[in-house]
Every structure is written in C-alpha cells, then in structure tokens.
Amino acid sequence: MRPYVLLLILVLLSGCFTAKILQPKEVRITEVIDGDTVLAETGERIRLLGINAPEKGQKFWNLCRKMLKGLLLNRTVRLEADEEDRDRWGRLLRWVWLEGKLVNEELVRQGCAFPYIIPPNQKYAERIEKAWQECLQSRKNLCNLSEGSCSHCIFILDFHWNAEGDDCKNPNGEWVVFGNLCPFPCNLTGWEVSDEANHRFIFPAATLQPGENLTLFSGSGENKAGKLYWNRKGRCRAVWNNEGDTLFLWDSERRLVLNVSYNS
C-alpha cells in the first residue's frame, strides 16, 4: 500500500473517531460538585459549557449548587458536545439537556450562573445571552440589582481591556476608570469587580468623591489616591479577555450595580 493512501485512511479514521466522541449521549448524574460541574455514573466529570457559577465561599454558591442538584442528581441527561471535547483539567465540556430543556441556559435564567462563552464553543451563545437579559429583568439571585444610594451614580468612564503588546507582560496596560455622578461621596469599601472567569477584585477602604475618578489597573502596584491595583498572583496577571468579556460591579452586599460586555 502506498504511503499516501495509508495516510488518507488514517485521517479518515481519525475523523470518524472524533465524530463518535462528540456525538450526544445519555448518562445518569450521580453527584453535583458545584454550580457548573457534575459527575456522571461513568466516572466522568462534566463541565457545563457557556456558564460560570459562583465559587465556594461566594454568595449564592450553596443556593446555586442546590438548584443544580435538584435538577440533575440521579437524573438521566443528554450530553451535547461543541467544538472542544475537554478542558485542560480533563473534564468533558458539554451542553446538558434534561427533558428537552437546556440546563446551562436555565441556570443563567435563574440567576445561578453568568454567561461564560469561550470560543470556539459558541453553539448556544445567543440563547445564553438572552437568558441573562431575562435574569436581569427578573432580578433573581445574581441579577438582584443594587438599590443603594450610589448604585445609579457610579459609572465607567473608560475601559481599556486590551493592553499594548503581550497582555501578560503588560497587565497595567489594562485598566477601567470609574466615575461618580452623585452630588455626594460614595463609599466603595467592600465593593467588587469581577469578570466572566470570576477573577475578583474587592475594593479596600475607598471613597469616591463627587466628580472624581478612580482607576483600577489589572497589574501590580501600590494603591494611592485615584489609583488601585488588582495585584493578582500567577504567571499571567492580565484579567480581561481580548476576544470578549463582561465587567461586573457589585456593591458590598453582592448586589449587581452594573455589567458591561464587549467583544473584539
């Protein structure tokens, strides 16, 4: 057999094997690990695509885990793959269907997960985004809007999510500038900024005076008047995804003040 013929056969077999892996299949869920990860009877861990639920220790973590547990524990679900089969931790990446309903979408609609669409897994991105808008209207859980006196005054004056050059080498090239339109000072102590990947920055003792601005840099530095630094640890300290992301601003009671999304 000629080498190129053998190579062609191997490529075709590889394609058939990949398609077989990505076909939907039914499994029974035996454990709910958190708000976006479950365990199947096969022993496989399944990470629900398109969403990100609160982490342990965060507000709504227990509530959202219980909601997913009530939906899926000991139930048989249908798994649907997207472009990628697994994440870097070896978990199956799947859209999960139960009795004709897309569970990923329902968790967002009920305020128990944020949209978290990572290309190329975008099959139901529009449905997820629509569910988030419905959540904001219903004000459930994560979508419970702040009613504080400053919640309607704090705004984003400038948002630079794409640093010059390599973001990881220039994290302070990412910044967001907050302004205060209130005629009185706003105490931001304990407020929080987060993204779709759940990177979190909690404001230290900080008061924003009327008409003043406050800049939050993604990199490291010493906090001073009008300038705060995320000071994250890790190999790459950049926060914002250049392909698209959402900035969430929460008050000290973990109620949503604003959310601003962008794409490339």
Side-chain angles (χ1 to χ4, degrees):
M1 183 178 293
R2 294 182 180 180
Y4 68 85
V5 175
L6 178 60
L7 178 60
L8 178 60
I9 292 173
L10 289 175
V11 169
L12 291 173
L13 287 174
S14 174
C16 292
F17 181 68
T18 301
K20 184 177 180 180
I21 289 177
L22 299 182
Q23 285 177 355
K25 64 176 182 179
E26 293 189 348
V27 298
R28 188 170 66 88
I29 302 303
T30 56
E31 183 181 347
V32 173
I33 298 170
D34 56 27
D36 51 36
T37 307
V38 297
L39 185 70
E41 60 184 343
T42 58
E44 291 273 19
R45 288 196 175 206
I46 301 164
R47 175 62 165 83
L48 277 69
L49 279 169
I51 68 172
N52 203 9
E55 302 291 341
K56 189 173 183 179
Q58 291 183 317
K59 189 175 182 180
F60 300 119
W61 176 83
N62 195 44
L63 173 76
C64 294
R65 179 176 175 271
K66 285 183 177 179
M67 177 176 290
L68 188 56
K69 188 175 180 180
L71 284 171
L72 299 186
L73 188 61
N74 295 321
R75 304 289 298 277
T76 296
V77 301
R78 183 170 66 89
L79 304 180
E80 182 179 355
D82 209 313
E83 293 297 319
E84 295 177 322
D85 189 48
R86 296 178 184 270
D87 64 12
R88 58 179 174 171
W89 294 282
R91 299 177 298 185
L92 288 175
L93 297 172
R94 294 293 185 267
W95 301 100
V96 178
W97 295 86
L98 176 67
E99 297 177 348
K101 289 186 177 181
L102 184 58
V103 175
N104 318 51
E105 176 185 36
E106 188 62 23
L107 291 173
V108 172
R109 183 178 291 111
Q110 296 301 324
C112 270
F114 305 107
Y116 187 39
I117 303 296
I118 302 179
N121 303 307
Q122 301 169 283
K123 185 178 294 185
Y124 296 110
E126 291 185 3
R127 290 182 61 159
I128 294 295
E129 179 55 35
K130 182 180 178 182
W132 177 249
Q133 295 305 318
E134 292 173 1
C135 176
L136 290 174
Q137 292 177 9
S138 65
R139 305 178 66 166
K140 294 179 180 178
N141 301 320
L142 290 170
C143 298
N144 183 19
L145 301 181
S146 174
E147 293 292 348
S149 57
C150 289
S151 62
H152 304 294
C153 305
I154 301 301
F155 71 104
I156 293 178
L157 180 64
D158 186 24
F159 189 7
H160 195 265
W161 60 79
N162 189 358
E164 183 176 351
D166 186 336
D167 291 12
C168 293
K169 295 180 180 178
N170 183 26
N172 280 334
E174 297 181 348
W175 67 79
V176 55
V177 182
F178 296 98
N180 178 15
L181 292 175
C182 288
F184 48 82
C186 285
N187 182 6
L188 304 184
T189 304
W191 283 39
E192 179 181 317
V193 174
S194 64
D195 67 347
E196 292 180 4
N198 211 15
H199 298 119
R200 304 168 63 205
F201 173 83
I202 298 177
F203 284 87
T207 299
L208 192 55
Q209 298 294 331
E212 288 190 352
N213 301 328
L214 176 63
T215 303
L216 172 61
F217 295 92
S218 296
S220 298
E222 182 178 350
N223 294 338
K224 58 185 69 175
K227 294 183 179 180
L228 296 175
Y229 295 84
W230 208 295
N231 287 321
R232 292 180 60 233
K233 296 181 180 180
R235 183 181 60 82
C236 181
R237 300 185 180 184
V239 174
W240 307 107
N241 187 344
N242 295 341
E243 299 302 318
D245 211 333
T246 302
L247 182 153
F248 301 97
L249 179 65
W250 312 87
D251 67 15
S252 57
E253 300 296 324
R254 187 69 177 181
R255 293 172 300 192
L256 189 61
V257 177
L258 57 82
N259 70 118
V260 176
S261 297
Y262 64 88
N263 56 46
S264 58

